[in-house]
Amino acid sequence: MTITTHATLGAVIGASTGNIWIAFLIGFASHFLIDIIPHGDRELYEGHKTKTAVKRAYRFVTIDALVAVIVLALMFGLSPHQGMNAVIAAGVIGSVLPDLIVGIHEAWNPKKLDLFSKIHFFFHNMISDRIGDVRLRNALIGQAVFIIALQKFF
Ligand SMILES: [Zn+2]
């Protein structure tokens, strides 16, 4: 999923738990669970991995990160949950942390993160390995709808 989708779900989880550690842990677990749903980024990742479309992957991640910052800034700015910024932030941090760890693994390849990366991609590719991936365009539309729908629970 996009960083924006993970972070938005993490914010909703944070607001609904009310406890920093529970928010962080459920946010962290949510990352793996929603990554199971095929979401169109396998081709993007392959292009990065095989160095055939590295710039495309960087452009995608850069735009996704900036959209995530804007969406989260708006959610925090317009939040009806006064005094819950820390717990909402914990949900956001937990929900995006797995991709940060995978990004560190991709960039610097520390052996200590091999197992974590394997676990991440076990969930990430669980369904798409069997039935194939969806089109990225359709996945992004679906995620935009999900992000908007999540606002009802924030
Ligand atoms: Zn991920």
Side-chain angles (χ1 to χ4, degrees):
M1 297 287 170
T2 61
I3 300 166
T4 310
T5 301
H6 285 299
T8 304
L9 180 59
V12 171
I13 288 167
S16 61
T17 61
N19 175 289
I20 283 182
W21 293 107
I22 294 172
F24 177 81
L25 291 173
I26 296 178
F28 194 80
S30 79
H31 185 105
F32 298 96
L33 295 178
I34 66 168
D35 257 2
I36 292 172
I37 303 164
H39 48 274
D41 63 356
R42 289 194 61 156
E43 183 198 324
L44 208 60
Y45 180 72
E46 291 302 318
H48 164 71
K49 201 73 182 163
T50 60
K51 301 194 185 322
T52 54
V54 174
K55 277 190 179 174
R56 183 172 181 251
Y58 287 165
R59 281 195 291 261
F60 184 88
V61 172
T62 301
I63 291 170
D64 180 22
L66 292 174
V67 171
V69 168
I70 291 167
V71 169
L72 268 290
L74 286 170
M75 287 177 74
F76 271 98
L78 303 171
S79 174
H81 309 285
Q82 294 303 313
M84 289 187 63
N85 285 350
V87 74
I88 293 168
V92 172
I93 292 166
S95 69
V96 299
L97 189 59
D99 277 351
L100 175 64
I101 294 170
V102 168
I104 290 168
H105 183 256
E106 294 290 323
W108 290 281
N109 226 346
K111 294 289 167 223
K112 286 178 184 166
L113 295 179
D114 283 353
L115 179 63
F116 186 87
S117 185
K118 272 191 184 131
I119 292 168
H120 175 268
F121 284 106
F122 168 77
F123 286 98
H124 189 273
N125 299 339
M126 188 184 288
I127 294 176
S128 59
D129 268 351
R130 296 190 185 117
I131 64 169
D133 207 355
V134 297
R135 287 185 59 194
L136 182 59
R137 184 177 152 271
N138 296 340
L140 292 176
I141 292 168
Q143 288 180 70
V145 170
F146 182 60
I147 287 164
I148 292 164
L150 277 173
Q151 302 307 315
K152 287 276 181 202
F153 301 96
F154 188 65

